[in-house]
Amino acid sequence: MRLRRGQKPTRRLAHVWNEANCTACGACIIACTATNAPEMMHREEKGWNSLASNIRRIESANAQGRPTMLLNQCQHCEDAPCVHTCPFGAVYYNDDGLVAIDERLCIGCSYCVAACPYNVRWMHPDNGLPKKCMGQACLDLVAANQQPACVQACPANARDFGDLNDPNSSVTQTLRRLPNRVLLEKAGTKPKYFIVESAS
Amino acid sequence: MNVADLTLQADVAHWSWTIALFLWFVGIAGMGSVAYYFSRKAPLAITIFASLVIGLLLVVSHLTRWWNLPVTIFYAVLELSFNFQSWMFWGFVILSVHLVFSAVVVLANIPYLQRFWFLRWGAVLNQSNLFLGGFAFAGFMATVYSGFLISTAAGVPLWNTALIPVLWVISASVATVAVLELFYVFGWVEEREAAFGLRIGMGLDVMKLLAVLAFIHISLTVGTMGAQIGAERMFSGDLAMLTWIGVIGIGILLPLAIGAFTLLFGKKKPLLAVSAVAALAGVLFLRAAVLLAGIWEPLVI
Ligand code: SF4
Ligand code: SF4
Ligand code: SF4
């Protein structure tokens, strides 16, 4: 359900990625595309030079020259620039605290793509819609009380998804127990994608 | 600390030459409307209207779901989902108003149409300072909008500066002076209008030069990493040719040199034509360089 201005969501669903547990196998990335955009399997998002997926793998090296890897995806920001910029209100906050899209109201201007500081949106080459986490298939899984595809696919228990408003949810407990961070905190977007820094 | 990823905005959001041309046409139409208040000539009215129509066709062609526009507007009206926070929404409003005003002005400037009594109200409005003041204001706001449109795209730090709307207004004014110069060359206006004379044109060129250099300098020195890398691409990277030769050399220094020559030796129409075309091209190159230089803030690991 679309939240009106000033309304608070009932749940604050959020993703957690444990970078210490992650083996960089890429199962979540492939599961994401296979579940939400199967027509894009084996097709590239040209701007990213990688599989068109709602999860983007960013490889680099740290100061010591050791390889590093970051999995990036929509942060479901609580002050989301993509929501502020969409001209006809196609991008909105829903009652679960997720940033969603109403396809009827989208004209494909890609303003939301340019407005996202995390560079997680991509334009679908077939239908012209801006894509990002969560895809419709994952929303359906969540509505059926299941975990999203990436969480189910991860063989290393590096991913979790749950309600930050629920003190007993696994995500709340993990975030309370283990050191974690968010990306581009200074951007002021109030992101809800948490990177846990030590193994659980 | 390592820069993990560099993604060009033009590769993912696809705002490149089509959008640069859109911004260019909107700038010409916008500041052209301000000029029309002072110089009420038919060629200018037609140029404003044509620029606006071409600009709008370009931007609509860029929408990946242009065919959904009527459906979107229908549901947005029905459900009142318009986003008043969005500069793109305000752009739709401002450009629609500007288009209607400019259609009236064009109507009043086509003698054939003035034969029909039911269209003569156009000529009446075209005499009204109030109406033409509104037209000038709509044009100015369209130019300002075209700057805020990109400066509020939070994903591209190079653009997130209030200098862009200022730069857009100055450069669109340069383009308007160039259009009037071309009209003079073609003999469509008697003499270049006093208010938009040579000295004002040269002053605008100098202001544009300062604004372009300030934009690059501020991004390079106090911008975030994404803004710095974008500005570096303009200053010394893959877009340096476009910046130094296109924006500054052709777009500013050449018209300035021709202006100085004209002040010393008098007007030569072929030279004025070169100056005007160069200035117009420079304004387009500026928009293209700024758009193409945009990258996302690299996520530092
Ligand atoms: S929740 Fe679904 S859409 Fe989001 S990253 Fe995971 S698999 Fe992809
Ligand atoms: S990460 Fe980007 S796409 Fe997701 S909510 Fe934030 S601004 Fe919007
Ligand atoms: S592409 Fe669609 S969802 Fe994104 S800003 Fe434009 S209209 Fe809104």
Side-chain angles (χ1 to χ4, degrees), chain A residues 61 83 85 88 104 106 111 116 128, chain B residues 2 64 68 81 86 149 152 296:
Chain A
V83 175
T85 46
F88 295 111
R104 298 169 313 155
C106 176
Y111 204 13
C116 170
Chain B
N2 263 288
T64 53
N68 199 41
S81 70
S86 165
L149 175 72
T152 52
W296 266 275

Side-chain angles (χ1 to χ4, degrees), chain A residues 72-109:
Chain A
N72 188 28
Q73 62 191 68
C74 175
Q75 325 273 309
H76 294 286
C77 308
E78 290 183 315
D79 195 356
C82 57
V83 175
H84 299 320
T85 46
C86 177
F88 295 111
V91 187
Y92 65 97
Y93 305 107
N94 74 13
D95 196 33
D96 278 335
L98 299 171
V99 172
I101 183 168
D102 181 341
E103 296 180 5
R104 298 169 313 155
L105 296 171
C106 176
I107 52 170
C109 63

Side-chain angles (χ1 to χ4, degrees), chain B residues 79-94:
Chain B
E79 297 166 13
L80 282 180
S81 70
F82 298 116
N83 185 356
F84 298 108
Q85 287 178 303
S86 165
W87 267 101
M88 191 174 284
F89 167 72
W90 286 112
F92 274 96
V93 174
I94 293 167

Side-chain angles (χ1 to χ4, degrees), chain B residues 215-230:
Chain B
F215 169 70
I216 295 175
H217 174 68
I218 288 174
S219 307
L220 276 177
T221 49
V222 294
T224 64
M225 190 188 292
Q228 282 179 24
I229 297 171

